[in-house]
Amino acid sequence: MLPSIEDSGEFKGWKTWKNEAFERVAAGPFYFTDDEQGIKCAFRAEKHHLNGGGVVHGGCLMTFADFSLFAIAHEALDGAFAVTVSFASEFLSGPKLGDLVIARGEVLRAGRSLIFVRGLLSVDGQICLNYSGTIKKLTPR
Amino acid sequence: MLPSIEDSGEFKGWKTWKNEAFERVAAGPFYFTDDEQGIKCAFRAEKHHLNGGGVVHGGCLMTFADFSLFAIAHEALDGAFAVTVSFASEFLSGPKLGDLVIARGEVLRAGRSLIFVRGLLSVDGQICLNYSGTIKKLTPR
Amino acid sequence: MLPSIEDSGEFKGWKTWKNEAFERVAAGPFYFTDDEQGIKCAFRAEKHHLNGGGVVHGGCLMTFADFSLFAIAHEALDGAFAVTVSFASEFLSGPKLGDLVIARGEVLRAGRSLIFVRGLLSVDGQICLNYSGTIKKLTPR
Amino acid sequence: MLPSIEDSGEFKGWKTWKNEAFERVAAGPFYFTDDEQGIKCAFRAEKHHLNGGGVVHGGCLMTFADFSLFAIAHEALDGAFAVTVSFASEFLSGPKLGDLVIARGEVLRAGRSLIFVRGLLSVDGQICLNYSGTIKKLTPR
């Protein structure tokens, strides 16, 4: 699960997983990088992300949050394949067209098989989504 | 939030919300209808729904589940606008390309402002996702 | 984790885990049995279960729901020790003093290490709590 | 919902709600205070808090977390009555007999009717429980 480096545009130099059809073509594209605060994920809210009320669809936010679980747990996973086991979230506000949506979070515990992550999505510091996810490393049978 | 009737193809006669960009163009298209068991939602797993592991992306399943909350609560909403407040889910199996993913669920309680829904996504009777969502009716200020 | 049989009182013949201090002395006592619909768990709402508003405390309902995860998964566990990994719930109504609170649920998937359960607490058919829990079998190191 | 001040023992000077039977007699007693980091809740793990495995029962941790929602949202509630609407948590480690369990958290959003809180339970800096809860202010009819 090696990420690629984006080579142009707003997210030039950020990482993404190019073999992810849903995250790349449909729901995304989503990106991640890191700075002194840790992993930082982002996407720019475009027309195809919106719901009928004119804000980013909750499903898009949850998809981005799910993407962020793997970015945040990237180091803990150390190349292992993993799947999301459970996910919980609360919706606090809806990003609008053109907004830059940021995900920040932390690995709360990395066990032998389960990794626990929590995070927040925000736009300009205003929280959009609070979420927690548990991911499970896949072991070769 | 009046749904439209699909007029051709596999889901001819089913309902959908056509002003929903994310559900129509990106993550979907998703449909619902009803039979003797209640509301039934469905989508056909296509290439753009898949993750890098070759199964439907968890974010796509959560988006479809979120869609289903509003289909299942359609009658209880009685035309009112509403937003998802919280959502929780567990991932049990991943649908494959070409699978017909079905959502079934029930309104557990419809209060003055909050409606509680739970449901299951499945393919051929095998459960993919267990989910619960709370939606909040919007009141004109 | 072998349960004992209660030998007197309202829950005579039902099962309980007697080495569980919190479930027996503090939050409980909680019981389970089975009938043609499957596993059935119950407790009678007493004074020490109530919150300041005069209904059963949400924490008591969650503790009973957590107990029920293990009763419902009893057969799937087949004697293995297990712990709760995640738990999600919505509160729909509060049982009152003297109410018989019932838990019913189902194993959605029993994997090699994780067992997924969902259930409902109710009083006289009225739902009190909707919940889902994931439990993890402990393996000897 | 005015809290009382404890007048003796380990938690002298801390606040608690004395009319809460379940939190005081059964599951607790639980306390809260504040310092420069904000609201801090605590309880000392006693025998009656334990499960059959010798660690604090998950139901006890969830009850304490539920208590903490109201302590953390105390200022935002401004005297209003409120109930928990939804609660989600992951279990990371089990406190042992004698441990001092601390809850820290934050109000993510305080709306007109719903208040969103997230928090962590820990012992000596090691996380035990990650949780989020949504509480709803009750309005006089």
Side-chain angles (χ1 to χ4, degrees), chain A:
Chain A
M1 243 180 24
L2 279 182
S4 312
I5 311 285
E6 190 70 8
D7 58 9
S8 66
E10 180 180 9
F11 296 102
K12 188 177 172 181
W14 292 55
K15 290 168 187 155
T16 188
W17 286 289
K18 290 218 165 160
N19 61 336
E20 290 282 332
F22 189 70
E23 289 179 6
R24 287 287 300 171
V25 181
F30 303 140
Y31 299 96
F32 72 99
T33 186
D34 56 349
D35 58 16
E36 68 292 341
Q37 291 173 259
I39 294 292
K40 178 184 183 178
C41 308
F43 78 101
R44 180 68 66 181
E46 298 173 31
K47 269 192 184 167
H48 70 278
H49 297 128
L50 304 184
N51 66 18
V55 295
V56 174
H57 194 288
C60 177
L61 296 180
M62 292 195 286
T63 302
F64 178 54
D66 186 44
F67 161 91
S68 82
L69 297 179
F70 293 82
I72 292 164
H74 190 49
E75 209 171 286
L77 279 168
D78 194 27
F81 282 90
V83 293
T84 307
V85 166
S86 67
F87 182 86
S89 58
E90 292 91 41
F91 297 81
L92 279 67
S93 67
K96 289 188 251 336
L97 185 64
D99 281 348
L100 181 70
V101 186
I102 300 288
R104 291 277 195 184
E106 60 216 295
V107 171
L108 297 175
R109 190 182 169 205
R112 279 187 304 165
S113 73
L114 297 178
I115 300 178
F116 298 88
V117 178
R118 74 167 186 173
L120 295 171
L121 302 190
S122 63
V123 172
D124 277 334
Q126 189 188 9
I127 301 171
C128 309
L129 190 85
N130 174 43
Y131 62 97
S132 299
T134 305
I135 63 183
K136 186 177 191 292
K137 286 188 247 182
L138 297 182
T139 47
R141 306 217 176 197

Side-chain angles (χ1 to χ4, degrees), chain D residues 26-134:
Chain D
F30 303 139
Y31 299 97
F32 71 100
T33 187
D34 55 350
D35 58 16
E36 67 292 341
Q37 290 174 260
I39 294 292
K40 179 184 184 178
C41 308
F43 79 101
R44 180 69 65 181
E46 298 173 31
K47 269 192 184 167
H48 70 277
H49 297 129
L50 303 184
N51 66 18
V55 294
V56 174
H57 194 288
C60 177
L61 295 180
M62 291 195 286
T63 302
F64 178 53
D66 186 44
F67 161 91
S68 82
L69 297 179
F70 292 83
I72 291 164
H74 189 50
E75 209 171 284
L77 279 168
D78 194 27
F81 282 90
V83 293
T84 307
V85 166
S86 67
F87 182 86
S89 57
E90 291 91 42
F91 297 81
L92 280 66
S93 66
K96 289 188 250 336
L97 185 65
D99 281 348
L100 181 70
V101 186
I102 300 287
R104 292 278 195 183
E106 59 216 296
V107 171
L108 297 174
R109 189 182 169 204
R112 279 186 304 163
S113 73
L114 296 178
I115 299 178
F116 298 88
V117 178
R118 72 167 188 173
L120 295 171
L121 302 190
S122 63
V123 171
D124 277 334
Q126 189 188 10
I127 301 171
C128 309
L129 190 84
N130 174 42
Y131 62 97
S132 298
T134 305

Side-chain angles (χ1 to χ4, degrees), chain A residues 51 90-93, chain B residues 1 66 69-70 73 76-87 109-117 132-141, chain D residues 85-86 109-116 134-137 139:
Chain A
N51 66 18
E90 292 91 41
F91 297 81
L92 279 67
S93 67
Chain B
M1 241 177 30
D66 187 44
L69 297 179
F70 292 82
L77 279 168
D78 195 25
F81 282 89
V83 293
T84 306
V85 166
S86 67
F87 183 86
R109 188 179 170 208
R112 279 187 304 165
S113 73
L114 297 178
I115 299 178
F116 298 89
V117 178
S132 299
T134 304
I135 63 182
K136 186 176 190 293
K137 286 189 247 182
L138 296 182
T139 48
R141 305 219 176 194
Chain D
V85 166
S86 67
R109 189 182 169 204
R112 279 186 304 163
S113 73
L114 296 178
I115 299 178
F116 298 88
T134 305
I135 63 183
K136 187 177 190 289
K137 287 188 245 182
T139 47

Side-chain angles (χ1 to χ4, degrees), chain C residues 109-136:
Chain C
R109 188 180 170 207
R112 278 186 305 164
S113 73
L114 297 178
I115 300 179
F116 298 88
V117 178
R118 73 166 187 174
L120 295 171
L121 302 190
S122 63
V123 172
D124 278 335
Q126 190 187 10
I127 301 170
C128 309
L129 189 84
N130 174 44
Y131 62 97
S132 299
T134 304
I135 62 183
K136 185 176 190 294

